[in-house]
Amino acid sequence: MSLSFCIIGAGNLATHLAKSLNSHGFSISQIYSRTVSSAKALADELNTSYTTSLNNIDPSADIFIVAIKDSAFDGVLPKINFNNKLLVHCSGSTPLSVLEKYSKNYGVFYPLQTFSRNRNVDFASIPIFIESNSNDNEKKLIEIARGISNTVSVLDSEKRLNLHISAVFACNFVNHLYTISSEILKSCGIPFDVLKPLIVETALKVQEIQPVLAQTGPAIRFDEKIISLHLERLSENNDYRELYNSISKSIFAHHK
Amino acid sequence: MSLSFCIIGAGNLATHLAKSLNSHGFSISQIYSRTVSSAKALADELNTSYTTSLNNIDPSADIFIVAIKDSAFDGVLPKINFNNKLLVHCSGSTPLSVLEKYSKNYGVFYPLQTFSRNRNVDFASIPIFIESNSNDNEKKLIEIARGISNTVSVLDSEKRLNLHISAVFACNFVNHLYTISSEILKSCGIPFDVLKPLIVETALKVQEIQPVLAQTGPAIRFDEKIISLHLERLSENNDYRELYNSISKSIFAHHK
C-alpha cells in the first residue's frame, strides 16, 4: 500500500503513531502542529515536512490522522481542507459522527495505550479499534492497523466510549493511586523504589487471574481495625482519607 | 544457620514464605493451621509435620513466624507457648509491641508483596522490612531475610504503617480499579484481554518515570466535556460514578 499520511498533531500519541507507521513502511507526507518545535522535531525524525499553519496543510495526502486532544477538535478541524480524503481521529470518547461534516470519508483509529514522550512503546502489542463510515474505508483502516499491531478490532462509538472509561479506571486512575502512594512514602522518607515490585506483580497477576479474584488487603478481609488505623493516620489529608474510605467501601460492596 | 521455623498459618503469605525459606535451606519444623486441609497440604509439600491444635505447637522451634491475618492475633497468640523463642509477625500495620507479652524475643518480618494461592512469586525481588526488640534479634532476622531476598531494610512500626497504607493504594485499590474496569467492559461484551497491555505499561512506566509525571487522561487535561460524558455514561452505577468523580477531583487538585 503506498498511501501517504498527514499527521495532525505532534504530541505523545501523534509522535508514537507516526513513528510506528513510518517504521512499518507507511509514508508520512506532512506533520502539522501549532508549535514549531514539536512539528519540526517530529518531521526531522521522520525525514518529512511540517507546517504550523492550518492553511498550508497539503490536501493531497491520502489519509489525515487527527491526533490532538479532543477539546481542540472544534478549533482545528473546520479550518482544514481535507479534500474528502479519509479523515480519522484517534479518540476513545469522541463519536465517529463528529467527522462527517469535514469529509465524505472518515473513521476512527483508536490505539488503547498510554503514551509518554520519553518512553518507547511496542505498537505490535497495542490493541487498535477501528470504526468507519463505509466498508471500504473500514477495510483500509483495518489493513493499516494490521500493519503496525497484532490486535485489531472493529468497535462502534458507543462501545468505544465504555472502553475508554474502563481505560481511565485501569490506567489514569491507577497511575494517580501510584502518585498518592509515592507521596505517602515521601512524607516519611521511604523511597518509592520499594513499591515497584508490588506494582508490577499487581499488574501481572491480572494478566492470568480475573481481578475480582485477585483482590487482597484489609478491605476484602473486612478488617475494620486496620482500616480505622489507616483512616486515622490519613486524617491530615482529607483527599487521601476520603479516597481510602470510598474505595474501601466499593470493595466491601463488591465482595460482601 | 541451622535454625528451625514453626509457621503459624497456612494461607497465601504463610505458604509462599514457608516454601521460600525451605527452598533456601531453612528448616521448617512444623506448620500450624486451624484448617486440616491447609495445614496438611503445606506440611506435605515441605515434607514436615503439622498440627491444627494450638496446644500441640512444638515449643522447641527456634523461630515462630505468625503469618495469619491481623484480626486473628488476639484469638491465637495467647494460647501458644513460645518458650521465649524469637516470635515474629508479618503484618504491615500491626506494631512490634503487640508481641511483647508473648515472648522476650520478638520482631517483625514484613515482605511487601501481594500473594495469591496459585501464583508463584520470586522472593528474591520482594523487599523485606525488619524490626526487632534487640540488636541480636534484628541481626538474626536480617540474616534470614537476606537468605531469601535481595532487598532487606530495618523499618520501625510507625513508618511500616505508612508503607502499608501506600501499598494499599498501589496494590489493593489498584486491583479494585482493575475489577471495575473489567465490569464496565463485561457490560458491553468486550473481553478484559484488551486492557492487559495498558495495565502492564501503566505499571512499567512508573518503574522509570515518577508517577506524578506519568499521569495521562482526561482529568489531567481538565477535559470537562469528556469527563461529563463519562459521568453521564456511569449514571446507572452510583458507586462507579462517585469514584470517577472523586479520583478525577483528586487528580485536578494534584495537577492544578
Side-chain angles (χ1 to χ4, degrees):
Chain A
M1 226 180 340
S2 63
L3 300 167
S4 69
F5 291 73
C6 171
I7 309 290
I8 318 281
N12 295 338
L13 167 60
T15 299
H16 286 288
L17 179 57
K19 283 165 70 175
S20 178
L21 286 168
N22 183 61
S23 73
H24 287 84
F26 296 99
S27 159
I28 312 296
S29 57
Q30 196 180 29
I31 305 290
Y32 162 82
S33 167
R34 59 178 181 172
T35 316
V36 183
S37 57
S38 312
K40 187 174 184 320
L42 182 53
D44 284 356
E45 199 169 343
L46 304 178
N47 200 19
T48 190
S49 64
Y50 70 90
T51 179
T52 57
S53 157
L54 293 167
N55 295 323
N56 290 338
I57 290 178
D58 181 357
S60 72
D62 297 306
I63 301 183
F64 293 84
I65 298 191
V66 180
I68 56 179
K69 55 186 182 182
D70 313 63
S71 57
F73 280 27
D74 292 346
V76 167
L77 300 188
K79 297 175 185 159
I80 306 177
N81 172 18
F82 294 111
N83 204 13
N84 281 323
K85 299 295 185 62
L86 181 48
L87 166 64
V88 306
H89 75 60
C90 304
S91 164
S93 293
T94 304
L96 171 67
S97 58
V98 302
L99 300 178
E100 68 187 349
K101 55 188 166 189
Y102 304 118
S103 176
K104 285 183 183 161
N105 296 288
Y106 52 96
V108 176
F109 191 99
Y110 175 53
L112 182 65
Q113 191 48 284
T114 170
F115 299 97
S116 292
R117 191 157 289 278
N118 295 314
R119 190 168 161 78
N120 284 326
V121 287
D122 175 18
F123 248 91
S125 67
I126 300 178
I128 297 178
F129 297 89
I130 298 298
E131 189 181 10
S132 190
N133 73 309
S134 75
N135 285 340
D136 276 1
N137 288 328
E138 186 181 294
K139 255 182 169 167
K140 208 180 274 181
L141 291 175
I142 289 173
E143 202 174 335
I144 296 162
R146 285 194 180 144
I148 59 174
S149 164
N150 299 324
T151 313
V152 178
S153 320
V154 173
L155 197 73
D156 67 31
S157 292
E158 279 294 299
K159 287 188 176 178
R160 193 175 62 256
L161 174 58
N162 281 334
L163 177 60
H164 189 206
I165 296 172
S166 76
V168 168
F169 277 94
C171 166
N172 308 146
F173 289 175
V174 159
N175 187 77
H176 186 59
L177 298 188
Y178 297 157
T179 299
I180 292 175
S181 63
S182 76
E183 291 182 356
I184 293 170
L185 290 180
K186 202 176 172 185
S187 71
C188 61
I190 302 174
F192 180 64
D193 281 353
V194 302
L195 277 185
K196 290 178 177 177
L198 178 65
I199 284 172
V200 170
E201 170 65 9
T202 304
L204 291 181
K205 258 168 83 166
V206 297
Q207 308 292 307
E208 294 177 12
I209 303 172
Q210 285 180 58
V212 70
L213 301 178
Q215 188 64 44
T216 55
I220 196 179
R221 292 197 303 269
F222 293 84
D223 192 331
E224 288 177 19
K225 196 174 148 192
I226 298 292
I227 292 169
S228 303
L229 198 63
H230 289 181
L231 290 171
E232 191 191 317
R233 176 58 62 102
L234 294 170
S235 63
E236 282 175 25
N237 190 311
N238 267 335
D239 183 22
Y240 297 172
R241 200 189 61 239
E242 278 169 26
L243 281 182
Y244 188 106
N245 205 24
S246 53
I247 301 174
S248 292
K249 281 183 178 163
S250 179
I251 295 173
F252 296 158
H254 269 75
H255 294 274
K256 71 187 168 193
Chain B
M1 223 178 343
S2 62
L3 298 167
S4 69
F5 291 73
C6 171
I7 309 289
I8 317 283
N12 295 336
L13 166 60
T15 299
H16 287 288
L17 179 57
K19 282 165 69 175
S20 178
L21 287 168
N22 184 59
S23 73
H24 286 83
F26 295 99
S27 161
I28 312 297
S29 56
Q30 195 181 30
I31 305 290
Y32 161 82
S33 168
R34 58 178 180 170
T35 317
V36 183
S37 56
S38 311
K40 186 174 184 318
L42 182 54
D44 284 356
E45 200 170 341
L46 303 178
N47 200 18
T48 188
S49 64
Y50 69 90
T51 180
T52 57
S53 158
L54 293 166
N55 295 323
N56 290 340
I57 290 178
D58 180 359
S60 73
D62 296 306
I63 300 183
F64 293 84
I65 297 192
V66 180
I68 57 178
K69 55 186 181 182
D70 314 63
S71 57
F73 279 27
D74 292 345
V76 167
L77 300 187
K79 296 174 186 160
I80 304 176
N81 171 17
F82 295 109
N83 204 13
N84 280 323
K85 299 294 185 62
L86 181 48
L87 166 65
V88 306
H89 75 60
C90 304
S91 165
S93 294
T94 304
L96 171 67
S97 58
V98 302
L99 298 178
E100 70 188 348
K101 55 187 164 190
Y102 304 118
S103 176
K104 285 182 183 161
N105 297 288
Y106 52 96
V108 177
F109 190 99
Y110 175 52
L112 183 63
Q113 191 48 283
T114 170
F115 299 97
S116 292
R117 189 156 292 275
N118 295 313
R119 194 169 157 78
N120 284 327
V121 287
D122 174 20
F123 248 91
S125 67
I126 301 178
I128 297 177
F129 297 88
I130 298 297
E131 189 181 10
S132 191
N133 74 310
S134 75
N135 285 340
D136 276 0
N137 288 328
E138 186 181 293
K139 256 185 172 163
K140 206 180 276 183
L141 290 175
I142 289 173
E143 201 174 336
I144 295 163
R146 286 194 177 144
I148 59 174
S149 164
N150 298 325
T151 314
V152 178
S153 318
V154 172
L155 197 73
D156 66 32
S157 293
E158 278 294 299
K159 288 189 174 179
R160 195 174 62 253
L161 174 60
N162 282 333
L163 177 60
H164 188 207
I165 295 173
S166 77
V168 168
F169 277 94
C171 166
N172 308 146
F173 289 174
V174 159
N175 187 76
H176 186 59
L177 298 188
Y178 297 156
T179 299
I180 291 176
S181 64
S182 77
E183 290 182 357
I184 292 170
L185 290 181
K186 202 176 171 186
S187 72
C188 61
I190 301 175
F192 181 64
D193 282 354
V194 302
L195 278 184
K196 290 178 178 176
L198 178 65
I199 285 172
V200 169
E201 171 63 11
T202 305
L204 291 182
K205 260 168 84 167
V206 298
Q207 308 293 306
E208 294 176 11
I209 303 172
Q210 283 180 58
V212 71
L213 302 178
Q215 189 65 45
T216 57
I220 195 177
R221 292 196 303 270
F222 293 84
D223 191 332
E224 287 178 20
K225 198 173 146 192
I226 298 291
I227 293 170
S228 301
L229 198 63
H230 289 181
L231 289 171
E232 192 191 317
R233 176 58 61 100
L234 293 171
S235 63
E236 282 175 24
N237 191 312
N238 268 334
D239 181 23
Y240 296 171
R241 202 187 59 241
E242 279 170 25
L243 281 181
Y244 188 105
N245 204 24
S246 54
I247 300 174
S248 293
K249 282 183 177 162
S250 178
I251 295 173
F252 296 157
H254 268 76
H255 294 274
K256 71 187 171 193

